Amino acid sequence: MTSLDRASVSTLKGVGPALAEKLQRLGITTLADILFHLPLRYEDRTRVTPIGRARPGTSVVVEGDVIDCRVDYGGRRSLVAHLRDDTGLMVLRFYHFSAAQQRNLQQAGRIRCFGEVRPGKTGFEIYHPEYTKAGAGLDDALTPIYPATDGLTQARMRSLVAQVLELMDKGGLLPELLPADAGAPEPGINDAVRLVHRPPPDVDIVAMETGTHPAQRRLAFEELLAHQISMRLVREEISLLSSHPLAPPGAIVGNFIGNLGFSLTQAQQKVSEEIAHDMAQSVPMLRLLQGDVGAGKTVVAAIAALQAVENGLQAAIMAPTEILAEQHFVNFSNWLAPLGITATFLSGKVKGKKRNEQLALIESGTAAIVIGTHALFQKDVNFRALGLVIIDEQHRFGVHQRLALREKGEQAGRFPHQLVMTATPIPRTLTMSLYADMDCSIIDQLPPGRSPVITSVVADTRREQVIERVRAACGSGAQAYWVCTLIEESDVMQSQAAETTAAQLAESLPGLRIALVHGRMTPAAKTDIMNRFKQGQVDLLVATTVIEVGVDVPNASLMIIENPERLGLAQLHQLRGRIGRGERQSYCVLLYHGPLGAAGKARLNVIRESNDGFLIAEEDLRIRGPGEVYGSRQSGSVTYRIADLARDTDLIRDAGETALALLARDRGAA
């Protein structure tokens, strides 16, 4: 019998080179891939709605007699069929049709059809409905709706699935990879696949629509288990590598902490000890450092870097943007100068003679700490002895970039330790899944004296009052951000463009120094404006979300965020973290465009009522899902085809335990 996990989709009827290429865009190359291309949702076509009860905007199944079918030449040419039952009359309209279709409909008699009801010229209409002869059964169960691509219709996708299910009925089964006592949810893999593609008439509709049916949970469990096993195997591979065991922090680290002018929080001390313990081992550290905005991760990173320097090794710090990399370079330079330690900066804009000088400092080891962007892992960058790699804002880099920097630091079979940091609090659910190959440290304490930002939610009908608030704040010596979510005007979105907003604010606030920064500017121009803002030469900075990760401006104590309803909660929290870094009480105004529904108001109230990044991240995960929150579609990051990390929390835990048990018992099967 054909092996479903090896047989090509080209073996199916109707699949030629063109369709095979379309399927490949969806990651479908084998028959098993078709089975695991699961429905996005289901439509309930089991209930017939009387035509008289159909309402615009709803998708319904209606049944009636075709009493007329003709071509309508008014405006755009279309085929119009009139359908009648005992309760009323409805129009079925087709803009793409053939003469054969017209003849078939004229002779169809009684039909059953499905589609979305719309208001038309003479009553309700359905455009391009799916239809069949009454009694043939349009569907006797839930109808699956699949992820699709251009040129691949739902009907074609269902036809392909039906062919593979028929092969399963003839004995072409998927292998049951899990032992019977592995603790996997019932039913088995083959029964689960059949059910999700072809739900029976008596299926629990609510469970199917919410993804909580046992068959769906079985498939999600297998996917999560496969990922957990792969992550743990990666972890084991790392444990087989060698690294430089570093002596504990000594005098240089002590002097650095003594020069800070403030005491480390207990959380910073605890995390620094965890990192120092890891780096004392002869296997490479791989630790994720989480900390809310302003929690003091950079100081912890500096302590780790100096531990490497004390041991005669170099440390590399990689940031996702030139702005953030330059901020790190300024901070480190100020900290390292009294210690007599050299730091150097490398990014794409460092060119020519200056670049050659920096490369020489790195290769000779004179540059003990190297700070830069992804330019750090380019071919011409050679470290003398790289002992520690620190990657800031981990979620903005693909896994391959992180591994490339590790490989670059390999010398004589020894690999550098790795510390990856993020200011985006990650819910425990995601940490358990996406970062299962790492140890995790959390700085869950803010430095003393930091006042929480006071957040208010204001309708944009009060825009003039908000502008006056900006005038008053800047007039008192403070600085402010005005954050927009688009760069240029859009007919679709109601957001105002940053460029337009900057011009309007300049007109409304003639006494203020206003500057604009957005993602389409050159890195040099962005850096120049951000530096001018930091130096107090700009009162009001109009910006897009490019400032989400940006420079530290303690004097900035007011932020206006336009159209906050368009952003995720985690992103709003990150933006708000740009203020509240100085002695002034800071304020954030969420200037929304109404009307907001109940869900929209509830979302913004989460931000208004809480400054706890982890609580906010959990809520954002629940509302939007991991792909949107953490950009998990980026290159090298984990994406799930079946599992939902917000919904399947209990399965993640169970999959982790099963992965450990299987690896301990039968590594070949795992």
Side-chain angles (χ1 to χ4, degrees), residues 147-447:
T149 186
D150 288 343
L152 182 63
T153 64
Q154 290 296 320
R156 176 61 66 87
M157 194 67 225
R158 290 185 202 121
S159 169
L160 298 178
V161 170
Q163 288 187 60
V164 183
L165 292 178
E166 187 176 343
L167 289 174
M168 291 183 73
D169 293 339
K170 294 177 180 178
L173 301 179
L174 294 165
E176 288 280 3
L177 299 176
L178 294 182
D181 60 349
E186 292 292 339
I189 187 71
N190 288 284
D191 288 339
V193 165
R194 285 191 185 97
L195 191 143
V196 295
H197 287 294
R198 191 179 285 163
D202 60 347
V203 75
D204 184 336
I205 293 175
V206 173
M208 293 298 292
E209 289 176 340
T210 56
T212 56
H213 190 280
Q216 294 164 310
R217 285 173 59 80
R218 171 57 188 259
L219 297 175
F221 178 83
E222 290 224 1
E223 183 175 38
L224 290 166
L225 177 60
H227 176 63
Q228 289 283 333
I229 289 173
S230 66
M231 286 289 97
R232 293 179 194 283
L233 290 174
V234 167
R235 182 66 176 268
E236 288 187 8
E237 287 181 18
I238 293 172
S239 71
L240 298 175
L241 302 177
S242 296
S243 189
H244 296 277
L246 306 185
I252 293 178
V253 171
N255 289 338
F256 166 70
I257 294 173
N259 292 340
L260 285 173
F262 55 84
S263 299
L264 298 180
T265 64
Q266 288 184 343
Q268 286 175 309
Q269 293 176 37
K270 175 177 175 291
V271 166
S272 294
E273 289 168 3
E274 291 171 349
I275 294 169
H277 175 269
D278 280 5
M279 293 200 297
Q281 310 307 310
S282 58
V283 296
M285 172 181 72
L286 185 52
R287 185 167 285 274
L288 174 67
L289 174 58
Q290 296 186 64
D292 214 338
V293 283
K297 296 181 299 302
T298 310
V299 169
V300 170
I303 292 171
L306 289 172
Q307 183 180 351
V309 173
E310 284 183 326
N311 283 267
L313 300 171
Q314 295 167 290
I317 301 164
M318 184 168 73
T321 65
E322 291 200 354
I323 291 174
L324 187 56
E326 287 190 344
Q327 176 173 304
H328 283 324
F329 179 65
V330 170
N331 287 336
F332 273 79
S333 296
N334 292 335
W335 288 334
L336 299 179
L339 305 175
I341 295 173
T342 301
T344 192
F345 177 78
L346 194 67
S347 75
K349 75 174 187 180
V350 179
K351 299 185 185 299
K353 182 180 178 182
K354 180 68 173 176
R355 179 178 177 83
N356 292 333
E357 291 173 355
Q358 305 290 39
L359 293 176
L361 291 173
I362 296 168
E363 190 164 5
S364 68
T366 304
I369 295 179
V370 184
I371 299 166
T373 60
H374 60 279
L376 291 181
F377 60 81
Q378 291 176 349
K379 287 184 178 179
D380 59 350
V381 181
N382 297 300
F383 293 86
R384 184 186 66 80
L386 184 60
L388 173 65
V389 172
I390 299 172
I391 298 179
D392 200 5
E393 293 305 325
Q394 154 70 12
H395 67 288
R396 290 172 178 250
F397 291 104
V399 173
H400 300 304
Q401 291 173 303
R402 176 159 61 81
L403 294 178
L405 197 49
R406 185 188 78 184
E407 299 301 320
K408 179 171 282 293
E410 187 267 335
Q411 287 183 326
R414 288 187 169 184
F415 293 84
H417 299 286
Q418 281 198 49
L419 178 66
V420 295
M421 306 194 300
T422 179
T424 304
I426 303 171
R428 186 168 177 270
T429 306
L430 276 178
T431 305
M432 289 166 59
S433 181
L434 299 183
Y435 301 106
D437 59 330
M438 298 186 191
D439 295 306
C440 183
S441 293
I442 298 175
I443 304 178
D444 54 4
Q445 182 182 15
L446 291 178

